[in-house]
Amino acid sequence: MNLKRRGVLVAALATSAALPFAGCAPSNKSSYSGGWVGAAPVRGHRLRDLKNGSLPTPAVQRRASVLVIGAGIAGLSCARGLLRAGISDVQVLDLEDSAGGNSRGHRIGGMACPLGAHYLPVPNADAVDVMALLEELGLRRTVHGKAVYDERHLCHSPQERLFIDEHWVEGLLPPLDALPAAEREATAAQYRSFGQAVAQAARSSQGRAFRMPTAQSVWSPELSALDAITFSVWLDSKGYTAAALRWYLDYCCRDDYGASAAQVSAWAGLHYFASRHGFHAPDHWVQKDDTSAERDGVLTWPEGNGWLSQRMAAPLAGHIHTGHIALRVDESPSHSTVDVWNDAEQRVERWTAGHVVMAVPLFIAARLLTSPPTALQQAATAVNCSPWLVANLHIDAPLDDHAGAPPSWDNVIYDPLRNSAALGYVDAMHQSTRPHAGPTVLTAYWALGGDSLGQLRAQRARLMNEPWSVWAEAVISDLARAHPDLKYKVRQVDLVRYGHAMAVPSPGVRSSAALLALAAGSVSARVHFAHSDLSGYSVFEEALGQGVGAARRVLSLLG
Ligand SMILES: Cc1cc2nc3c(=O)[nH]c(=O)nc-3n(C[C@H](O)[C@H](O)[C@H](O)COP(=O)(O)OP(=O)(O)OC[C@H]3O[C@@H](n4cnc5c(N)ncnc54)[C@H](O)[C@@H]3O)c2cc1C
């Protein structure tokens, strides 16, 4: 991958305070190189600038029977479906230099690491399209009627640990014995009760209320009521106020939706657990049943879901045009015309296509279409996207560690008071089979959506305006709470900023008639929509489902 890195060397004198760990003899200087990677903001602004001025006359005319704009998971799955069905001149455009969108990988110091999405939970029986893809890619097979996953790609143990009260514990749910004695009894009761509420939700509508992908869910007045309020209002109303439980639920919302329980709907908060692996109170951990390993399984790779997107893109070689930014889409009764900026050639091209699939975020689709349908305008206004920061830190030696659970794939710091945007880090070398720890890349995630729309916007402005070195220092000092020696061992920090990373499933979004109309393909004859935004939130399963659905709709129109 040829991502441009813009930045310089940062050299900062570290404090002369002694390090807290024996056997550590670092230099007293912290110095690392780094910068922003990925081209999205710069090229995205070119779109805005070119649109504000008059577009140059197109230098080249090109044709496709179907033109897919956006080579994220949704665009790739749509194009793959069309190609497989015999549409040989499907073409895909993307503004970045490689396909994959939010699911791309990166390399530092010869080591692969994620730029965005980094895992896929083992799918349940509803996710037929995901299972078909995993079988095609050799990750899953059925033996004697039972699903078997390729062990190399299932997350190795230990998976997760939490830094709490100056030591590491296994798992991410704060264990009772790490909490102040006065909180334990009430917290235990609330863990248990919340687990029961999730189990009940998972059983509702004959087990069809919370499905993954969500298109398979049976919608009901009960779900509409949950979608009308925030998760934190619902939790308050049920008396779930224990600090440890609220921290954990908030963490899950920020991890999956990019914003806290105060912003996402109660539907989304429950869906996180009820559609996947449930919520398991501590008692359950002690007596794991024999299906728990399979149920809790997570597929992951050093380069994160870039592993998947690269393989999804492979059959489309020759059909994907990276560095191509769609600027304007004009729909007519007989065809659609798309003006495109070709960044390598520095020219505008005019593409004509029978059908156009907009596999881009809805707010971009609304800007690109010269006559955006009302449903698109409404949906683009209803969906707010959270900003995210991803920082890849190349360290040249293993970190010293506090006592407790050993280094894991996912490592999170418990912090119920600060309500931090930081979500901890994953270790890119965790899946390697090397016998000793050594240099690695730690990928730190910051979900900047906050507690309110005001915070979300302010954080986005900060993300786009502050220099990379300010963010790098913030990430290092956050992780230094668990790893004080990190600053002496970090050699390079590559950061990605996503101004509009993913749709926040805030109240009303999931029930939005406009979103449903766009996802059903009922608003336009030649322009179709396929992006995880249409699901109201962004995960691999939803993006894939939206892409597959759009391909089916186009194929039915093509006869
Ligand atoms: C930091 C982060 C971490 C995540 N972690 C996970 C995870 O671990 N697991 C998980 O399942 N999901 C995760 N996600 C969610 C992730 O968004 C989805 O899994 C999925 O990748 C979304 O795919 P998509 O195709 O819907 O959208 P996108 O990835 O947004 O794809 C849209 C594409 O359109 C292109 N584009 C935009 N405008 C234009 C234009 N004008 N012209 C041409 N091309 C354009 C973009 O470059 C992009 O490639 C994460 C997301 C982020 C941001």
Side-chain angles (χ1 to χ4, degrees):
M1 178 165 305
N2 178 24
L3 289 162
K4 298 184 186 78
R5 194 158 54 75
R6 293 174 288 277
V8 290
L9 192 76
V10 165
L13 272 181
T15 60
S16 56
L19 281 171
F21 302 106
C24 175
S27 86
N28 68 344
K29 221 170 174 189
S30 137
S31 82
Y32 55 88
S33 58
W36 296 116
V37 296
V42 179
R43 297 216 179 127
H45 291 158
R46 177 176 286 281
L47 189 164
R48 195 186 55 199
D49 300 342
L50 280 170
K51 277 210 86 174
N52 288 343
S54 58
L55 284 185
T57 312
V60 176
Q61 307 275 342
R62 305 189 69 171
R63 291 191 155 273
S65 61
V66 184
L67 187 61
V68 179
I69 306 176
I73 298 302
L76 290 174
S77 51
C78 178
R80 285 164 57 90
L82 293 168
L83 191 62
R84 183 169 296 171
I87 312 298
S88 56
D89 66 339
V90 54
Q91 305 294 336
V92 188
L93 310 176
D94 200 283
L95 64 75
E96 294 282 1
D97 289 325
S98 59
N102 289 348
S103 297
R104 283 174 300 148
H106 183 49
R107 287 190 88 77
I108 308 188
M111 287 173 285
C113 53
L115 272 190
H118 58 287
Y119 72 95
L120 173 67
V122 165
N124 56 35
D126 295 326
V128 281
D129 294 321
V130 178
M131 286 192 290
L133 174 73
L134 299 184
E135 284 184 10
E136 186 189 325
L137 299 182
L139 292 166
R140 180 188 197 274
R141 62 205 163 90
T142 306
V143 179
H144 304 308
K146 203 169 178 294
V148 177
Y149 285 86
D150 186 331
E151 289 283 341
R152 288 170 302 171
H153 307 291
L154 281 173
C155 185
H156 300 167
S157 290
Q159 271 191 26
E160 299 165 330
R161 63 175 182 166
L162 185 66
F163 187 63
I164 179 168
D165 199 17
E166 296 302 307
H167 69 285
W168 291 101
V169 296
E170 198 188 325
L172 296 185
L173 184 65
L176 298 173
D177 54 11
L179 302 176
E183 291 178 20
R184 287 180 199 158
E185 200 182 328
T187 305
Q190 291 188 25
Y191 279 173
R192 221 162 274 126
S193 168
F194 183 73
Q196 286 158 3
V198 168
Q200 193 185 343
R203 285 193 300 270
S204 56
S205 297
Q206 284 84 45
R208 302 186 62 209
F210 293 94
R211 290 271 180 112
M212 179 73 86
T214 48
Q216 296 194 14
S217 303
V218 172
W219 200 252
S220 64
E222 288 75 27
L223 294 193
S224 291
L226 289 171
D227 191 47
I229 55 171
T230 64
F231 193 30
S232 52
V233 164
W234 184 85
L235 291 166
D236 287 344
S237 75
K238 301 285 177 196
Y240 297 127
T241 52
L245 176 66
R246 290 298 283 262
W247 171 84
Y248 177 71
L249 299 180
D250 216 58
Y251 167 85
C252 293
C253 290
R254 291 184 291 120
D255 194 43
D256 242 31
Y257 306 130
S260 78
Q263 270 207 76
V264 311
S265 71
W267 168 81
L270 284 168
H271 175 80
Y272 178 94
F273 299 101
S275 67
R276 282 181 169 166
H277 306 139
F279 174 94
H280 306 298
D283 297 351
H284 176 93
W285 296 345
V286 180
Q287 298 168 351
K288 282 206 165 194
D289 57 53
D290 61 0
T291 61
S292 58
E294 188 183 311
R295 199 181 49 221
D296 298 342
V298 164
L299 292 158
T300 189
W301 304 267
E303 67 271 48
N305 292 7
W307 191 96
L308 290 168
S309 65
Q310 274 192 2
R311 281 155 186 80
M312 290 174 73
L316 293 164
H319 297 257
I320 299 180
H321 308 269
T322 55
H324 280 61
I325 309 146
L327 301 172
R328 180 165 63 197
V329 179
D330 205 10
E331 186 184 11
S332 79
S334 59
H335 63 274
S336 290
T337 311
V338 183
D339 286 339
V340 177
W341 176 255
N342 179 332
D343 205 56
E345 304 289 340
Q346 293 284 297
R347 69 182 185 205
V348 173
E349 300 175 349
R350 176 155 293 170
W351 289 68
T352 306
H355 291 269
V356 171
V357 178
M358 312 283 288
V360 294
L362 292 177
F363 80 95
I364 294 181
R367 279 187 202 166
L368 292 180
L369 278 159
T370 46
S371 308
T374 311
L376 177 60
Q377 293 177 42
Q378 288 171 345
T381 312
V383 172
N384 288 298
C385 293
S386 59
W388 278 71
L389 173 80
V390 180
N392 276 300
L393 298 94
H394 174 206
I395 55 170
D396 60 3
L399 296 174
D400 298 322
D401 217 358
H402 285 266
S408 303
W409 169 63
D410 195 7
N411 307 266
V412 176
I413 299 176
Y414 179 64
D415 190 353
L417 297 179
R418 258 180 30 153
N419 210 9
S420 160
L423 296 169
Y425 67 88
V426 292
D427 181 347
M429 289 299 280
H430 181 78
Q431 292 294 96
S432 84
T433 48
R434 68 182 179 188
H436 305 291
T440 189
V441 181
L442 307 180
T443 310
Y445 289 86
W446 283 38
L448 296 160
D451 291 334
S452 67
L453 214 47
Q455 283 183 11
L456 184 154
R457 290 186 178 133
Q459 294 277 51
R460 178 181 299 135
R462 254 191 79 208
L463 182 64
M464 302 323 278
N465 294 327
E466 299 268 32
W468 72 271
S469 51
V470 169
W471 288 103
E473 282 298 302
V475 170
I476 292 168
S477 78
D478 174 68
L479 295 180
R481 292 184 288 158
H483 299 295
D485 58 328
L486 171 62
K487 60 186 166 198
Y488 307 105
K489 292 175 176 166
V490 62
R491 293 291 160 257
Q492 185 171 326
V493 184
D494 284 359
L495 301 106
V496 200
R497 52 187 160 178
Y498 297 92
H500 301 263
M502 56 172 71
V504 177
S506 37
V509 165
R510 185 67 207 169
S511 330
S512 155
L515 264 192
L516 294 173
L518 289 177
S522 56
V523 300
S524 175
R526 295 193 172 274
V527 175
H528 314 274
F529 299 91
H531 188 266
S532 48
D533 276 8
L534 296 169
S535 301
Y537 84 106
S538 191
V539 285
F540 184 91
E541 299 91 321
E542 294 298 326
L544 185 99
Q546 295 295 349
V548 168
R552 287 185 186 134
R553 288 193 297 279
V554 173
L555 286 171
S556 73
L557 290 168
L558 290 172

